[in-house]
Amino acid sequence: MSFVQEAMQAVMKKAIALAPDGWIPGGHPDPLMREKHGLIGASISRIDGPLKVAGQARFAAEFPMEGLTYAALRHSTIARGRIVSLDTTQAEAAPGVVLVMTHLNAPRLKPTPPFGSKPQAAGGDDVPVMQDDRIHWNGQPVAVVLAETQDQADHAQSLIRVQYEVQGGVTSLDAARAQGPEPGKFQGELLKVEIKDAEALFAAAPVKVDAVYRTPPHNHNPIELHAATLAWEGDELRVHDATQAVAHAAWTLSQVFDIKEAQVHVTSPFVGGGFGSKTLWQHQILAAAAARLAGRPVRIVVSREGVFRIVGGRALTEQRVAIGAQQDGGFDAIIHTGLTVMTPHNAMTEPFIVATRSAYAAKSFKLEVDTVKLNMVANTFMRAPGEAVGTFALESAIDELAAELGMDPIALRSRNEPEQDPTNGLPFSQRGVEQAWKTGAERFGWETRNATPGATRDGDWLVGVGCATATYPYYRMAGGAARIILDRTGRAVVEIAAHEMGMGTATAHTQVVAERLGLSLDQVEFRYGDTAFPGLVLAGGSQQTASIGSAVIVAHRTLVTELLKLAGNDSPLAGLKPDEVGGLDGGLCKLDEPGRCESYASILARAQRETLTVEGEAPPPLELQHWSMHSHGAMFCEVRVNAITGETRVSRFLGSFDCGRILNAKTAASQFRGGIIMGLGLALMEDAQFDERTGRIMNPSLAEYHVPVHMDVPEIEVMWTDEPDPHAPMGARGIGEIGITGVGAAVANAVFNATGKRVRDLPITLDKLL
Amino acid sequence: MTPFLYERAADRQGALALGARAGASYLGGGTNLVDLMRETIAHPELLVDVTGLSREIEDTPEGGLRIGAGVKNTAVAGDRRVRQRYPLLAQAILAGASAQIRNMATTGGNILQRTRCAYFYDDAARCNKRAPGAGCDAVEGFNRIHAILGASPACVATHPSDMCVALAALEATVTLEGQDGGREIAFADLHRLPGETPEVETQLRPGELITAVTLPPNGLAARSTYRKVRDRASYAFALVSVAAGLELEGGVIGDVRLALGGVAHKPWRAHAAEAALKGRPATESVFREAAEAELAPARPLRDNGFKIELARRVIVDTLVKLARTEETV
Ligand SMILES: Cc1cc2nc3c(=O)[nH]c(=O)nc-3n(C[C@H](O)[C@H](O)[C@H](O)COP(=O)(O)OP(=O)(O)OC[C@H]3O[C@@H](n4cnc5c(N)ncnc54)[C@H](O)[C@@H]3O)c2cc1C
């Protein structure tokens, strides 16, 4: 970005911050957020539940196609260098083989636009896909085999003989560090905040903590493997993908294959977990290239090992947190700096300071992320990138400081509760973190804790409790758009290129649309997961609900306007303006005169219309620069640490959340719990073993890469304030990621309370407690 | 997975005849072997399914039990006689893997399962088990789960089984059948230490079949336990496990059995510790001395030094608790 552009941006930002609320999306509170007894917030079972239980929900690898071939990938075994020889003769001669594709015969492809390079870009990296003999990471695909069956393809790929020449490559943190760090950026912004001289204020503070916290690399392990079933129909590409970004995938594929966006049709009706990983990686591109070469449809299901090799995860971090405080607990300085790794072929910095920007008031701040580059699979978004690991460091440090001060850690947090965003000065849209702490602490029984570490024992087990703040921002990305089709029977269909990855999106939005239109649930059909529908909607950043919601608000307003026009002068609604009516009992009614109504069926019938179709595009997300919008949670954990073996078992967990309005109590509770369980994995076991000699991940399986099993997961209680955010669509801020945040610190703080030992390196394995 | 032939053995003779063919492997539940085939670590040309053979658990005339090699892990752990007379064995089996895997896994297969060393599992790595003489990438790599006892520069892998630790403590014997007839060997002699030839993991001769495991009459039932320490609450291999049985005569240790899992290339019978315990008072300090005696030769690698302290603690604590328990039979 040029200096002029930067200056322009700064001016714009200021203007948006200072503009009157009414000019900003969310300036007029969504009337829906006030509905207390209708469908909003109701505990409704997911509408796709029966389909899934019956095995009828079709996932990407389950779409039938005529003449299908099956793909297998061959991965490189060096981290950097070139392929010096490739012998595919045996593989080509193996039974059932249709095609062996390598860089020698792959079709010429354009570079993959990586995430962030364009709003629609979805590539995990920008390495040319099988276009030359160069190797960029250990695990990069070097060949694709298509065969008549999966077993044949798998076998044939093992027959390919590859020889490499290793050329340098940086695979150890020390070597990467030696190359010198670069400043980290996230979403186009430098990850750097400096307010006053934090180091000086820290040095002068009477009470302080200063420690380094480390988190290891993590890999994605959604239960549904990354997969696609695809075919070329002439120059058109049809892809059944497992993706959290159908429109992004279609656009990005069109760039790679140098065709028009409209020539790529992506569907993804069900996704078996994404967490940030189900975007565009090499497998879809390779499958499409091979399909073109072979002239046959292709199914690719990446193996579990393959997911570790070609789909990036969360990068390791090394974070310093230093807090200087007065005796009464008031913060003079918050310093949160450190290092993370990325690659030469991506632009994703694990932004571990983002939560610290708005968490606490302090006289001074120094927040900064440095990056160094490793030759490894491109790291990427993983549930709450930044916050998940950043809150481990920050919230551990808060606990350390509370112990230093002899203060209750909740009281210390409360003492530093900011009145406005402490680093950008914006007003909070709504902030109920204190309420969440209060109700959570009561429910958990926090006041009964013994603050002395190592003082509570039950047989062999040392028992301790800990807490931490969870936090995740409200996001909304540009591009939301929706279509509403209302028909004469009074049924509504909503179409939007959004995603159902198991979160309950389809169910929650059926509820929202039904409530908005005044229909019953069975009168609304929510269609999604298809590029035939409008919208550029990423199921990521916990922003999908806001993106859908804001698009539907606009489409709905158009619908009401059109309906009033159609209703004309013979309607009881004659003369009313869109703002004066709302959806009720299958039609429109005057808001302050509920008897003055006409049903949708009646309006359409009189106008002799079978259907009425409208589309709406969400406004640009200016609210993000006008208010500081954040969700919070108070996380409470009880652990038992075996005094003999050091084994840690979490025996109780409670999350008390403030995330705006909750749209569906049941699916929301599942999201919170799922996030917390993933957080327990982060705290206690997840650890991708990256061999620094070779750059190879050595535990690429669910047997050796540990995630929690049922016995690791205690009863988890969740509760929420349900306080609407007046500036978010439906009053709801998004709940997909917050559950994982704060968990690492809550567990580590509980372990400290149980044992008197501070573990600052995740995961907290038993050897660290012996 | 490399294509292979599959034959289901009708009887022992048929199995041995098929097993003598070049490239043949016996197949139990397949929970380990088939994984290794998928990872292209094992490439049998012929799988001889022996799960139809030796599916009985029988009382022996001496008062012990004879468990057929084809009996599933779940069936062994659930057998009333095993639970009453050899609770140590039932506990060890139930501490391993998952219910689904135990439903498939056989006694013979469990005994012959391969190590979980990541470098053994990755054909891009150097491994003396897979390619003798190639070198070992585990020695200076990730070796948290590796051996502290009896390892060699050629191999630092561990035997991962829980069941086998109990069998070592119980002084079981194994019945083998080969082309030239049968033989019976002590369970403790079945698995080998790696030495210079880590690719040779057991005393089995080519084509030899395990047909049964025999448990002697004394099942240590009165005072025995299996304790497993792992990285998560279930479905993880042992970092360290202890199978222990103790006989006390007026506070003095009579017969004692101690075996360790997760520490060596074979289920580790703790002879040095046993010798330090026999005939001595059952006190914590004696237990500690015994643990020290056993672990004196232990050598840590980069990531597994904690196992020495962990093993010490678990041995002592297990014995302390055993000494305290009321006799259960
Ligand atoms: C994810 C996972 C977790 C696990 N966790 C644990 C754990 O915590 N603890 C634990 O102890 N185990 C664990 N296991 C291992 C499990 O116990 C073994 O896979 C199982 O016992 C092997 O038995 P099988 O019958 O399936 O053997 P197979 O896979 O069929 O065979 C294994 C080997 O034995 C040979 N073989 C089989 N039967 C005979 C015979 N009668 N004579 C001669 N050779 C024979 C085969 O040729 C092969 O070499 C785990 C496995 C997995 C996959």
Side-chain angles (χ1 to χ4, degrees), chain A residues 703, chain B residues 25-35 50 69 73 95-97 101 104-106 108-110 112-114 116 160-163 204 208-211 228 235-238:
Chain B
S25 274
Y26 295 120
L27 177 70
T31 61
N32 186 226
L33 181 55
V34 175
D35 270 7
V50 293
N73 287 183
I101 291 173
M104 291 297 290
T106 60
N110 190 317
L112 294 181
Q113 63 174 297
R114 314 289 303 273
R116 309 302 297 194
S161 168
D162 290 299
M163 181 185 88
L204 251 65
E208 219 168 7
L209 183 67
I210 298 181
T211 56
K228 177 175 180 180
Y235 203 36
F237 291 92

Coordinates of all heavy atoms in Angstrom, one line a residue, chain A residues 703, chain B residues 25-35 50 69 73 95-97 101 104-106 108-110 112-114 116 160-163 204 208-211 228 235-238, ligand 1:
Chain A
A703 N -4.5 -41.6 15.9 CA -3.9 -42.5 17.0 C -2.8 -41.7 17.7 O -2.8 -41.8 18.9 CB -3.4 -43.8 16.4
Chain B
S25 N 1.6 -63.9 5.6 CA 1.5 -63.4 7.0 C 0.3 -63.9 7.6 O -0.8 -64.0 6.9 CB 1.4 -61.9 7.0 OG 2.7 -61.3 7.0
Y26 N 0.3 -64.3 8.8 CA -0.9 -64.7 9.5 C -1.7 -63.4 9.8 O -1.2 -62.3 10.0 CB -0.7 -65.4 10.8 CG 0.0 -66.8 10.5 CD1 1.3 -67.1 11.1 CD2 -0.6 -67.7 9.7 CE1 1.9 -68.3 10.8 CE2 0.0 -68.9 9.5 CZ 1.2 -69.2 10.0 OH 1.8 -70.4 9.8
L27 N -3.1 -63.6 9.7 CA -3.9 -62.4 10.0 C -4.8 -62.7 11.2 O -5.6 -63.7 11.2 CB -4.8 -62.1 8.8 CG -5.8 -61.0 8.9 CD1 -5.1 -59.6 9.0 CD2 -6.8 -61.0 7.8
G28 N -4.7 -61.9 12.2 CA -5.7 -62.0 13.3 C -6.8 -61.0 13.1 O -7.4 -61.0 12.0
G29 N -7.1 -60.1 14.0 CA -8.1 -59.1 13.8 C -7.7 -58.1 12.7 O -8.6 -57.3 12.3
G30 N -6.5 -58.0 12.4 CA -6.0 -57.1 11.4 C -5.9 -55.6 11.9 O -5.6 -54.7 11.1
T31 N -6.1 -55.4 13.2 CA -6.1 -54.0 13.6 C -4.8 -53.4 13.6 O -4.6 -52.2 13.6 CB -6.7 -53.9 15.1 OG1 -5.9 -54.7 15.9 CG2 -8.1 -54.4 15.1
N32 N -3.7 -54.2 13.6 CA -2.4 -53.6 13.4 C -1.8 -53.9 12.0 O -1.4 -53.0 11.4 CB -1.5 -54.3 14.5 CG -0.1 -53.6 14.5 OD1 0.9 -54.3 14.6 ND2 0.0 -52.3 14.5
L33 N -2.0 -55.1 11.6 CA -1.4 -55.5 10.3 C -2.0 -54.8 9.2 O -1.3 -54.3 8.3 CB -1.5 -57.0 10.1 CG -0.9 -57.6 8.8 CD1 0.6 -57.2 8.7 CD2 -1.1 -59.1 8.8
V34 N -3.3 -54.6 9.2 CA -3.9 -54.0 8.0 C -3.6 -52.5 8.0 O -3.3 -51.9 7.0 CB -5.5 -54.2 8.0 CG1 -6.1 -53.4 6.9 CG2 -5.7 -55.7 7.9
D35 N -3.5 -51.9 9.2 CA -3.0 -50.5 9.3 C -1.6 -50.4 8.6 O -1.3 -49.5 7.8 CB -2.8 -50.1 10.7 CG -4.1 -49.4 11.3 OD1 -5.1 -49.4 10.6 OD2 -4.0 -48.9 12.4
V50 N -6.2 -66.6 10.5 CA -6.2 -67.7 11.5 C -7.2 -67.4 12.6 O -7.2 -68.0 13.7 CB -4.8 -67.9 12.1 CG1 -3.9 -68.4 11.0 CG2 -4.3 -66.6 12.7
A69 N -5.1 -68.7 20.6 CA -4.6 -67.5 20.0 C -5.6 -66.7 19.3 O -5.5 -65.5 19.1 CB -3.4 -67.9 19.1
N73 N -9.6 -60.2 22.3 CA -9.2 -59.5 23.5 C -10.5 -59.2 24.4 O -10.4 -59.4 25.6 CB -8.6 -58.1 23.2 CG -7.2 -58.2 22.6 OD1 -6.5 -57.2 22.4 ND2 -6.7 -59.5 22.4
A95 N -7.4 -51.8 29.7 CA -6.7 -50.5 29.7 C -6.2 -50.2 28.3 O -5.7 -49.1 28.0 CB -5.5 -50.6 30.6
G96 N -6.3 -51.1 27.3 CA -5.7 -50.9 26.0 C -6.7 -50.5 25.0 O -7.9 -50.9 25.0
A97 N -6.3 -49.8 24.0 CA -7.0 -49.5 22.7 C -8.4 -49.0 23.0 O -8.7 -48.3 24.0 CB -7.0 -50.7 21.8
I101 N -11.6 -51.8 18.9 CA -10.4 -52.5 18.5 C -10.3 -53.8 19.3 O -9.9 -54.9 18.7 CB -9.2 -51.6 18.7 CG1 -9.2 -50.5 17.7 CG2 -7.9 -52.4 18.6 CD1 -8.1 -49.4 17.9
M104 N -12.1 -56.7 17.9 CA -11.5 -57.3 16.7 C -10.2 -58.1 17.0 O -9.8 -59.1 16.4 CB -11.1 -56.3 15.6 CG -12.3 -55.6 15.0 SD -13.3 -56.8 14.0 CE -12.2 -57.2 12.7
A105 N -9.4 -57.5 17.9 CA -8.0 -57.9 18.2 C -8.0 -59.3 18.8 O -8.8 -59.7 19.7 CB -7.3 -57.0 19.1
T106 N -7.0 -60.1 18.4 CA -6.9 -61.5 18.9 C -5.7 -61.6 19.9 O -4.9 -60.7 19.9 CB -6.6 -62.5 17.8 OG1 -5.4 -62.1 17.1 CG2 -7.8 -62.4 16.7
G108 N -3.2 -63.7 19.8 CA -2.0 -63.9 19.0 C -1.5 -62.6 18.4 O -0.4 -62.2 18.4
G109 N -2.5 -61.8 17.8 CA -2.2 -60.6 17.2 C -1.7 -59.5 18.2 O -0.8 -58.7 17.9
N110 N -2.3 -59.5 19.3 CA -1.9 -58.5 20.4 C -0.5 -58.8 20.7 O 0.3 -57.8 20.8 CB -2.8 -58.7 21.6 CG -2.6 -57.5 22.6 OD1 -1.5 -57.1 22.9 ND2 -3.7 -57.0 23.1
L112 N 1.9 -60.0 19.0 CA 2.8 -59.7 17.9 C 2.6 -58.4 17.3 O 3.2 -58.1 16.2 CB 2.7 -60.8 16.8 CG 3.2 -62.2 17.3 CD1 3.1 -63.2 16.2 CD2 4.6 -62.1 17.8
Q113 N 1.8 -57.5 17.9 CA 1.7 -56.1 17.3 C 3.0 -55.4 17.3 O 3.9 -55.7 18.1 CB 0.7 -55.3 18.1 CG 1.0 -55.1 19.6 CD 0.0 -54.2 20.3 OE1 -0.1 -53.0 19.9 NE2 -0.6 -54.7 21.3
R114 N 3.2 -54.5 16.4 CA 4.4 -53.8 16.2 C 4.5 -52.5 17.0 O 3.5 -52.0 17.4 CB 4.7 -53.5 14.7 CG 4.4 -54.7 13.7 CD 5.4 -55.8 13.8 NE 6.8 -55.4 13.6 CZ 7.3 -55.4 12.4 NH1 6.7 -55.6 11.3 NH2 8.6 -55.1 12.2
R116 N 4.9 -48.5 18.0 CA 4.2 -47.3 17.5 C 5.2 -46.2 17.1 O 4.8 -45.1 16.9 CB 3.2 -46.8 18.5 CG 2.3 -47.8 19.1 CD 1.4 -48.5 18.0 NE 0.5 -47.6 17.3 CZ -0.5 -48.0 16.6 NH1 -0.8 -49.3 16.5 NH2 -1.3 -47.1 16.0
P160 N 4.3 -52.0 22.4 CA 3.2 -51.2 22.9 C 2.1 -51.9 23.7 O 1.2 -51.2 24.3 CB 2.6 -50.6 21.6 CG 2.8 -51.6 20.6 CD 4.1 -52.3 21.0
S161 N 2.1 -53.2 23.8 CA 1.0 -53.9 24.3 C 0.8 -53.7 25.8 O 1.8 -53.8 26.6 CB 1.1 -55.4 24.0 OG 0.1 -56.1 24.7
D162 N -0.4 -53.6 26.3 CA -0.8 -53.7 27.7 C -0.9 -55.2 28.1 O -0.4 -55.6 29.2 CB -2.1 -53.0 28.0 CG -1.9 -51.5 27.8 OD1 -1.1 -50.9 28.6 OD2 -2.6 -50.9 27.0
M163 N -1.6 -55.9 27.3 CA -1.9 -57.3 27.7 C -0.6 -58.1 28.0 O -0.5 -58.9 28.9 CB -2.7 -58.0 26.5 CG -3.0 -59.5 26.8 SD -3.8 -60.3 25.3 CE -2.3 -60.8 24.5
L204 N 10.0 -66.3 17.3 CA 9.3 -67.1 16.3 C 10.1 -67.4 15.1 O 10.8 -66.6 14.5 CB 8.0 -66.3 15.8 CG 6.7 -66.8 16.4 CD1 6.6 -66.7 17.9 CD2 5.6 -66.1 15.7
E208 N 6.0 -69.9 11.8 CA 5.5 -70.5 13.0 C 4.3 -69.7 13.4 O 4.1 -68.5 13.3 CB 6.6 -70.4 14.1 CG 6.6 -71.6 15.0 CD 7.9 -71.6 15.9 OE1 8.7 -70.6 15.9 OE2 8.1 -72.6 16.5
L209 N 3.4 -70.5 14.1 CA 2.1 -70.0 14.4 C 1.9 -70.0 16.0 O 2.3 -71.0 16.6 CB 1.0 -70.9 13.8 CG -0.5 -70.6 13.9 CD1 -0.8 -69.3 13.2 CD2 -1.3 -71.7 13.4
I210 N 1.4 -68.9 16.5 CA 1.0 -69.0 17.9 C -0.3 -69.6 18.0 O -1.3 -69.2 17.3 CB 0.9 -67.6 18.6 CG1 2.3 -66.9 18.5 CG2 0.4 -67.6 20.0 CD1 2.3 -65.5 19.1
T211 N -0.4 -70.7 18.8 CA -1.8 -71.3 19.0 C -2.4 -71.0 20.3 O -3.6 -71.0 20.4 CB -1.7 -72.8 18.7 OG1 -0.7 -73.4 19.7 CG2 -1.2 -73.2 17.3
K228 N -1.8 -48.1 34.5 CA -1.3 -47.6 33.2 C -1.3 -46.0 33.3 O -2.3 -45.4 33.6 CB -2.2 -48.1 32.1 CG -1.9 -47.5 30.7 CD -2.8 -48.2 29.6 CE -2.4 -47.6 28.3 NZ -3.3 -48.2 27.2
Y235 N -7.7 -44.6 25.3 CA -7.3 -44.6 23.9 C -6.0 -44.0 23.6 O -5.8 -43.2 22.7 CB -8.4 -43.9 23.1 CG -8.5 -44.4 21.6 CD1 -8.2 -45.7 21.3 CD2 -8.8 -43.5 20.6 CE1 -8.3 -46.1 19.9 CE2 -8.8 -43.8 19.3 CZ -8.6 -45.1 19.0 OH -8.7 -45.5 17.7
A236 N -5.0 -44.4 24.5 CA -3.7 -43.9 24.3 C -2.7 -45.0 24.8 O -3.1 -45.7 25.7 CB -3.4 -42.6 25.0
F237 N -1.6 -45.2 24.2 CA -0.7 -46.2 24.6 C 0.0 -45.8 25.9 O 0.0 -44.6 26.3 CB 0.4 -46.4 23.5 CG -0.2 -47.1 22.3 CD1 -0.7 -46.3 21.2 CD2 -0.3 -48.5 22.3 CE1 -1.2 -46.9 20.1 CE2 -0.9 -49.1 21.2 CZ -1.3 -48.3 20.1
A238 N 0.5 -46.7 26.6 CA 1.1 -46.5 27.9 C 2.4 -45.7 27.8 O 3.2 -46.0 26.9 CB 1.4 -47.8 28.6
Ligands
LIG1 C1 -5.6 -46.6 17.6 C2 -5.1 -47.8 18.3 C3 -4.9 -47.7 19.7 C4 -4.4 -48.8 20.3 N1 -4.2 -48.7 21.6 C5 -3.7 -49.8 22.3 C6 -3.3 -49.7 23.7 O1 -3.6 -48.7 24.4 N2 -2.8 -50.8 24.3 C7 -2.6 -52.0 23.6 O2 -2.1 -52.9 24.1 N3 -2.8 -52.0 22.3 C8 -3.4 -51.0 21.6 N4 -3.6 -51.1 20.3 C9 -3.1 -52.2 19.6 C10 -4.0 -53.4 19.5 O3 -4.1 -54.0 20.8 C11 -3.5 -54.3 18.5 O4 -3.7 -53.7 17.2 C12 -4.2 -55.7 18.5 O5 -4.0 -56.3 19.7 C13 -3.6 -56.6 17.4 O6 -4.4 -57.8 17.3 P1 -4.9 -58.3 15.9 O7 -5.6 -59.6 16.1 O8 -5.8 -57.3 15.3 O9 -3.6 -58.4 15.1 P2 -3.2 -58.4 13.6 O10 -3.2 -57.0 13.1 O11 -4.2 -59.3 12.8 O12 -1.8 -59.0 13.6 C14 -0.7 -58.5 14.2 C15 0.5 -59.3 14.0 O13 0.3 -60.6 14.6 C16 0.5 -61.6 13.6 N5 -0.4 -62.7 14.0 C17 -1.7 -62.6 14.3 N6 -2.1 -63.8 14.8 C18 -1.1 -64.7 14.8 C19 -0.9 -66.0 15.2 N7 -1.9 -66.8 15.7 N8 0.3 -66.6 15.1 C20 1.4 -65.9 14.6 N9 1.2 -64.6 14.2 C21 0.0 -64.0 14.3 C22 0.2 -61.0 12.3 O14 0.8 -61.7 11.2 C23 0.7 -59.6 12.5 O15 2.1 -59.6 12.3 C24 -4.1 -50.0 19.6 C25 -4.4 -50.1 18.2 C26 -4.8 -49.0 17.6 C27 -5.1 -49.1 16.1

